[in-house]
Amino acid sequence: MLNWVHREIRMISGSSRIDEMKKNKTKGLFASIVLGVAGGGGGGAVTACAPASSCGTVTVVDRPDIQSVNTNYIGYRAPLRPLNFIKLPVGSIQPEGWVKKYLELQRDGLTGHLGEISAWLEKDNNAWLTTGGDHGWEEVPYWLKGYGNLAYILNDPKMIEETKYWIEGVFASRQPDGYFGPVNERNGKRELWAQMIMLWCLQSYYEYSQDQRVIDLMTNYFKWQMTVPDDQLLEDYWEKSRGGDNIISIYWLYNHTGDAFLLELAEKIHRNTADWTKSTSLPNWHNVNIAQCFREPATYYMQTGDSAMLKASYNVHHLIRRTFGQVPGGMFGADENARLGYIDPRQGVETCGLVEQMASDEIMLCMTGDPMWAEHCEEVAFNSYPAAVMPDFKALRYITCPNHAISDSKNHHPGIDNRGPFLSMNPFSSRCCQHNHAQGWPYFTEHLVLATPDNGVATAIYAACKATVKVGDGKEITLHEETNYPFEEGIAFTVSTDEKVAFPFYLRIPSWTQKVEVRVNGKKVSAAPVAGKYLCINREWANGDCVELTLPMSLSMRTWQVNKNSVSVDYGPLTLSLKIAEKYVEKDSRETAIGDSKWQKGADSKKWPTTEIYPDSPWNYSLVLDKKEPLKNFKVIRKSWPADNYPFTVASVPLEVKAIGRPVPEWKIDETGLCGVLPEEDAVKGDKEEITLIPMGAARLRISAFPNTKE
């Protein structure tokens, strides 16, 4: 936990489940009560473990061993520094459980249908399909970046065909000089931001298809970039801020081809990119730029080995949270832009910012191996991101806040930086988030299982899935992860292999847990897991071998000192919010859309309404904390797993916490239409009431940072 946050921990729940798990060890089964898979929608039967055998060598490590070179997957080629984790090719990981449900909702909702309703994706005269086309410059690659990966992960033939249509348009746009895509000139200089996004789409397509045209296009395009004088390169605001994305693509190609000029080009892009290395200031304070661009120095560190570059990325991450991130949920209050004096948890962040932060965390994890990045990715993914979209994934919010008491279509400026209807759930919540949201869960899925330099496998971010991965001397195994994490403490892994194979298996041990238990085939491992590190099990694995991981969850509290000593409560990786009754009101999305939103001709807006959400129960509570043991009177209540496998709604969330609160009468909706800033600590409070807290990700209206009353 960062040093400006005071954290108090009290073990309060979980022992009964651990006891239940222990009772079942002798049977070689992972207790279904722990996994939460017995009953409707939980994922089916639990796999039986193989008979007990040697656990091999078990060690606690800070990072994977990077002295070795993975012979099964392409990592970073020398002289680049080696990756700590290597992402598997897209499609290698098949999600299960609630993540699979989320991806299916994306497919059936906005992500899967934007091509039919968004004017920016209209194919006639589209800039990515027609020379001189007048629309789709940024929106097409933003959408395709998530849509295509979603298609590959779900192996959806219709979506794959649609993805290929756009990819073929990209190939058709190639010019003799190596340039590709729309020509977007500003002050006589070509703006390259949209190409940066499309390069990521092409890389995913190559992983799926092995189409050599991707390598050829990227090689020729980067040769063209080498010809552009420095004073004409990356001069526009977006591309200058986000040049790091271009470098990531350069390294990707270098790792495939070894072409030496690419490292020279990376140096050129770096020196023309905005400087994200200063200790106390940033090139700009735009929320998405910060979430996306802070990784640039660390990316360039992979080439130079200059530790100051790596430290710079860590510094930006901490600086923005130290200054504007004294709030729960892992993000920071920047609305459109971070502003001095606007640090209350009613300040929010763009949906674009949420998914870009998750992507940055995943990239930083692979580059550094630091488990902090996995933990932060989970914090954003489980707490901040789910509530930014409707449960049916047919609309989203531009801005989502830790304290978000109303979600309507009014203009809330200057309470938030944006002017216009930026808080309601709208299928056209600005042309950026509307299209860019799609990458969040697909990229998350792709990082659930990772390869390691020593031909092993790692799980740093946890969710149910089945991964096909090459290990050891090239043998292909299936690693099956069964869990309802983060709502349950238990995770079970089963290895399927045609023949025995030796490889290391790394498990991240979260910093928030204590007394972790790991068993291999029912036998407790010899080394004690350490919070904030990895446990490495290196052995010869046989078909049916099973690893059981128990991550005891407890209630903990954070105090946000600069925000009037407000507090937030966590349960394991889940941050809790007040349970507020949500009243949904549908509006015509043509009338409530943000100004740069446009419909395709013939699109039926009635199928894609705006939803406003209003509180139907009081929201202005303080938390009553015990003076000696703050969380003494908090009680964790587990509920049944939802039949539809979707746990992120007020009605379906399988976990609640009972607490005591006091209403704060002066804490009201203010003159800008937002919940007022946090009241002073000595604000008058009403009588005690029992209140209910639920995981933040399920609360589309939320109070997550509470005034506190110690008594």
Side-chain angles (χ1 to χ4, degrees), residues 128-203:
W128 285 97
L129 302 175
T130 305
T131 301
D134 62 6
H135 62 275
W137 166 73
E138 176 187 48
E139 297 79 15
V140 168
Y142 255 162
W143 165 72
L144 196 62
K145 184 180 175 184
Y147 180 92
N149 287 44
L150 181 63
Y152 309 140
I153 292 169
L154 296 179
N155 196 25
D156 186 296
K158 183 179 178 182
M159 293 180 70
I160 291 172
E161 183 180 358
E162 180 70 7
T163 300
K164 287 182 177 178
Y165 182 92
W166 289 98
I167 295 293
E168 289 298 330
V170 175
F171 289 134
S173 74
R174 291 176 290 180
Q175 302 298 313
D177 62 358
Y179 187 84
F180 77 99
V183 177
N184 187 30
E185 290 192 347
R186 302 174 190 254
N187 300 317
K189 301 170 184 176
R190 289 192 182 178
E191 221 279 10
L192 306 181
W193 162 233
Q195 279 75 9
M196 294 184 198
I197 315 171
M198 188 59 80
L199 289 171
W200 287 41
C201 303
L202 290 169
Q203 291 159 47

Side-chain angles (χ1 to χ4, degrees), residues 38-321:
V46 179
T47 307
C49 294
S53 61
S54 172
C55 291
T57 302
V58 183
T59 53
V60 174
V61 298
D62 292 323
R63 306 282 194 279
D65 177 16
I66 59 171
Q67 302 305 311
S68 305
V69 177
N70 192 294
T71 56
N72 301 313
Y73 297 101
I74 296 175
Y76 271 23
R77 183 193 293 256
L80 298 179
R81 293 180 60 83
L83 293 168
N84 280 261
F85 297 113
I86 303 168
K87 188 185 81 67
L88 303 179
V90 63
S92 302
I93 302 170
Q94 299 299 310
E96 296 184 347
W98 67 263
V99 177
K100 182 181 180 182
K101 179 66 176 181
Y102 233 132
L103 293 180
E104 291 172 343
L105 288 168
Q106 273 198 259
R107 174 197 64 198
D108 299 336
L110 198 59
T111 302
H113 292 277
L114 265 179
E116 305 162 19
I117 64 175
S118 169
W120 306 107
L121 304 184
E122 195 164 20
K123 293 173 178 173
D124 290 345
N125 205 32
N126 191 285
W128 285 97
L129 302 175
T130 305
T131 301
D134 62 6
H135 62 275
W137 166 73
E138 176 187 48
E139 297 79 15
V140 168
Y142 255 162
W143 165 72
L144 196 62
K145 184 180 175 184
Y147 180 92
N149 287 44
L150 181 63
Y152 309 140
I153 292 169
L154 296 179
N155 196 25
D156 186 296
K158 183 179 178 182
M159 293 180 70
I160 291 172
E161 183 180 358
E162 180 70 7
T163 300
K164 287 182 177 178
Y165 182 92
W166 289 98
I167 295 293
E168 289 298 330
V170 175
F171 289 134
S173 74
R174 291 176 290 180
Q175 302 298 313
D177 62 358
Y179 187 84
F180 77 99
V183 177
N184 187 30
E185 290 192 347
R186 302 174 190 254
N187 300 317
K189 301 170 184 176
R190 289 192 182 178
E191 221 279 10
L192 306 181
W193 162 233
Q195 279 75 9
M196 294 184 198
I197 315 171
M198 188 59 80
L199 289 171
W200 287 41
C201 303
L202 290 169
Q203 291 159 47
S204 293
Y205 173 69
Y206 181 83
E207 290 179 12
Y208 170 77
S209 68
Q210 298 295 298
D211 191 331
Q212 179 62 30
R213 292 180 296 171
V214 172
I215 302 296
D216 296 340
L217 179 150
M218 291 180 66
T219 299
N220 291 329
Y221 177 62
F222 288 144
K223 286 180 177 178
W224 172 84
Q225 286 190 346
M226 286 292 291
T227 69
V228 181
D230 278 36
D231 62 0
Q232 297 181 28
L233 185 67
L234 307 186
E235 289 295 304
D236 196 63
Y237 175 74
W238 298 115
E239 61 175 359
K240 192 169 189 64
S241 295
R242 301 171 179 183
D245 279 23
N246 203 104
I247 295 176
I248 287 174
S249 295
I250 292 170
Y251 290 166
W252 183 92
L253 184 62
Y254 175 76
N255 294 325
H256 283 76
T257 68
D259 288 342
F261 85 91
L262 291 167
L263 298 184
E264 183 181 349
L265 177 60
E267 294 176 3
K268 179 177 182 175
I269 296 295
H270 171 72
R271 67 175 178 261
N272 287 285
T273 297
D275 186 359
W276 293 93
T277 66
K278 297 182 179 176
S279 60
T280 58
S281 64
L282 303 180
N284 57 78
W285 295 86
H286 180 67
N287 76 96
V288 183
N289 283 344
I290 296 167
Q292 182 171 2
C293 303
F294 83 90
R295 63 186 183 232
E296 192 275 342
T299 302
Y300 193 55
Y301 157 78
M302 301 300 285
Q303 181 171 343
T304 66
D306 182 357
S307 61
M309 300 300 290
L310 179 61
K311 290 178 181 177
S313 287
Y314 277 83
N315 176 68
V316 175
H317 179 82
H318 294 314
L319 173 64
I320 188 66
R321 284 156 182 82

Side-chain angles (χ1 to χ4, degrees), residues 30 35 462 481-483 485 489-493 547-549 551:
F30 196 42
L35 278 172
Y462 294 113
E481 180 176 353
E482 296 174 277
T483 185
Y485 180 91
E489 299 173 333
I491 307 171
F493 302 92
V547 176
E548 302 161 2
L549 172 65
L551 302 174

